[in-house]
Amino acid sequence: MIPTHLDAYQIALIAWGFLLALYGVQGVLSVWLEGRELVPGPTERPPEPVWSLIAALGLAALVMAWAIKFMGELATAPPRQLALDAGVLFLGLALMLVLYRRYFIAHEAVTQDRDDGIPW
């Protein structure tokens, strides 16, 4: 899987690049989902757009169809195809979770005093 013409340091640089790109995508997604600053206490939630409900239901149908396809291929497909199908399933589930978090959960921060028994 790893090309033979790459040295160990080049492979490490590629791995670090992927890791930092993943960290950046997570940060951008976090700002998009939660905003730059959370406000303590409950906030007024605007009604969710109709297209978000349609997108969530469409993603659910797509994931269900892909899961049925995946189950049918378990005995006959090569491992590479199974891995690709499983990756698409997890990506669809992650997108459904992002839509749910963005449009169906209120934006609020829960602030509580912590009493863990440590005197300082």
Side-chain angles (χ1 to χ4, degrees):
M1 186 74 176
I2 297 175
T4 57
H5 66 279
L6 292 177
D7 292 330
Y9 73 92
Q10 292 171 328
I11 295 170
L13 285 175
I14 291 170
W16 274 104
F18 280 130
L19 178 72
L20 292 175
L22 182 65
Y23 186 68
V25 167
Q26 184 267 337
V28 168
L29 189 62
S30 175
V31 168
W32 182 70
L33 287 174
E34 299 175 356
R36 292 205 177 266
E37 182 178 348
L38 292 178
V39 179
T43 59
E44 283 293 320
R45 193 172 74 157
E48 58 272 349
V50 175
W51 70 266
S52 63
L53 181 63
I54 293 170
L57 291 175
L59 273 172
L62 184 68
V63 166
M64 186 62 73
W66 206 274
I68 291 169
K69 176 184 178 280
F70 178 74
M71 296 288 275
E73 291 180 346
L74 273 175
T76 59
R80 176 176 265 172
Q81 182 65 34
L82 290 176
L84 179 68
D85 288 345
V88 169
L89 278 173
F90 283 117
L91 184 64
L93 290 172
L95 288 174
M96 285 172 51
L97 184 65
V98 164
L99 279 175
Y100 178 73
R101 171 67 180 98
R102 174 72 174 158
Y103 294 107
F104 299 105
I105 294 180
H107 298 284
E108 67 180 52
V110 177
T111 57
Q112 298 175 352
D113 290 334
R114 197 168 127 183
D115 186 20
D116 54 3
I118 298 175
W120 60 85

